[in-house]
Amino acid sequence: MRFLGNLVWFVFGGFWMGLGWMLAGLLWCVTIIGIPVGVQCFKLASLAFFPFGKEVVYGGGLGSFFLNLAWLLVSGLPLACQAFLNGCLFCVTIVGIPFGLQCFKLAKLALMPFGTRQVTV
């Protein structure tokens, strides 16, 4: 079931959401200081491409807080808005609700990506 969910997700919205994370990663990697942020974007792009069967565990410390703050001001809001709007569109139908929930998971992740880790369930 996870494979089917990821396949349908990739075709109907996951490709574009993952591309957004990849673009953010490329833009961050332009500067030397932004390379660690860009690498984190590439890791999270894999979650955006195939989110079913994966959970996000939040944590981190003061360093993660400051990175999340800088991220939010530069790249987080556009990615969060993209995921939130896609989630609202998916939730219009009953069949799309699981996909909308994945979008909302990605919207929260777009606001606070640092200090998180992916766990396969």
Side-chain angles (χ1 to χ4, degrees):
M1 192 67 177
R2 187 178 352 171
F3 173 76
L4 183 61
N6 280 326
L7 182 66
V8 172
W9 168 264
F10 186 78
V11 171
F12 288 108
F15 176 73
W16 297 110
M17 293 185 77
L19 228 59
W21 281 97
M22 296 290 284
L23 178 64
L26 287 173
L27 290 175
W28 276 97
C29 284
V30 169
T31 65
I32 293 174
I33 296 172
I35 289 176
V37 179
V39 169
Q40 182 73 9
C41 289
F42 295 137
K43 290 179 191 176
L44 297 174
S46 70
L47 180 70
F49 282 130
F50 305 109
F52 286 94
K54 297 177 185 169
E55 290 296 323
V56 178
V57 177
Y58 292 92
L62 191 60
S64 296
F65 171 75
F66 287 121
L67 277 174
N68 281 328
L69 188 61
W71 165 262
L72 184 65
L73 296 174
V74 177
S75 301
L77 286 177
L79 288 171
C81 289
Q82 173 197 22
F84 180 75
L85 292 175
N86 283 344
C88 290
L89 289 174
F90 274 125
C91 286
V92 170
T93 65
I94 292 175
V95 175
I97 290 175
F99 301 104
L101 293 176
Q102 296 300 321
C103 286
F104 296 141
K105 176 172 74 173
L106 289 171
K108 182 180 177 184
L109 184 65
L111 294 175
M112 304 179 299
F114 298 100
T116 62
R117 61 176 207 267
Q118 298 176 27
V119 178
T120 304
V121 284

